[in-house]
Amino acid sequence: MFLLRKPTPAVLETIKRHADSLPFSYAEVGASRMTSTLERDFLFGKYKVLHHRIFLGTGYETFCRAREVFSQWGMFDVDWLELYPSTALQVSGVTVVVVGKTLHTWWPNTSRIIYTMDDQEGDVRRFGLCYGTLTANAVCGEERMLVDWNSQNDMVYYEIFSFSYAKSLPVRLCYPLFRKLQDRFAKESGEAILRLMGQAKG
């Protein structure tokens, strides 16, 4: 769906309510949890995969600030994106609408949170979530976002991992633009977290 005018909150609420009843648009829901080489090879063979890690600093205090920013959807504090509702709970089953703007058009995309993370595995403490696309979307797949702190090397990172593919030929023709926007979001969302962490520290 492409709109020539910025959607109002009322329009976004209508889109969200419709999306609340929609199923996921792909079969491998939750596949971002895959860990084995065989599983990853299958996933990477079917989908286009993006993986970025952005250094945020060092220390547990830095991780706590990053986690607080993340919990308030600070990664969407970029000038060409809007999250609706901006106060959505970060729990599984919640539907959100991400509205992007490019080429003088707005394009709402609906996703549902599949799982969240607030745990520790070995030396690594993680906080984040993963959401997947619904059938109203032109692109299928899921995106996992998290912040983590490794107590062994004391480093804190923001990470985005996603896999996706275009459902139709018209969308496939525009897919290179979509991939560029994915890369742009990964970079600018990390910058947004760093900026908001700095404000919180001050």
Side-chain angles (χ1 to χ4, degrees), residues 92-163:
S92 60
V94 168
T95 300
V96 295
V97 185
V98 178
V99 185
K101 180 187 177 184
T102 186
L103 301 177
H104 306 290
T105 60
W106 284 262
W107 31 280
N109 294 282
T110 54
S111 297
R112 182 171 299 127
I113 298 177
I114 303 167
Y115 62 86
T116 60
M117 295 164 287
D118 186 6
D119 55 36
Q120 183 153 349
E121 184 175 347
D123 297 320
V124 179
R125 186 88 170 90
R126 303 183 307 168
F127 183 87
L129 60 83
C130 171
Y131 56 40
T133 59
L134 306 176
T135 51
N137 285 31
V139 174
C140 300
E142 70 185 47
E143 186 166 64
R144 183 191 69 204
M145 297 175 283
L146 60 88
V147 293
D148 65 45
W149 169 60
N150 187 319
S151 60
Q152 188 172 34
N153 60 27
D154 211 28
M155 292 185 178
V156 181
Y157 281 89
Y158 166 63
E159 177 181 281
I160 289 187
F161 172 83
S162 68
F163 60 87

Side-chain angles (χ1 to χ4, degrees), residues 167-180:
K167 290 196 294 186
S168 64
L169 177 60
V171 178
R172 284 197 291 271
L173 294 176
C174 299
Y175 197 66
L177 173 61
F178 174 76
R179 293 283 292 173
K180 287 182 179 179

Side-chain angles (χ1 to χ4, degrees), residues 3-12 15 82 97 99-100 106-108:
L3 305 173
L4 297 179
R5 299 176 61 183
K6 182 178 180 180
T8 64
V11 169
L12 292 175
I15 292 172
E82 180 179 334
V97 185
V99 185
W106 284 262
W107 31 280

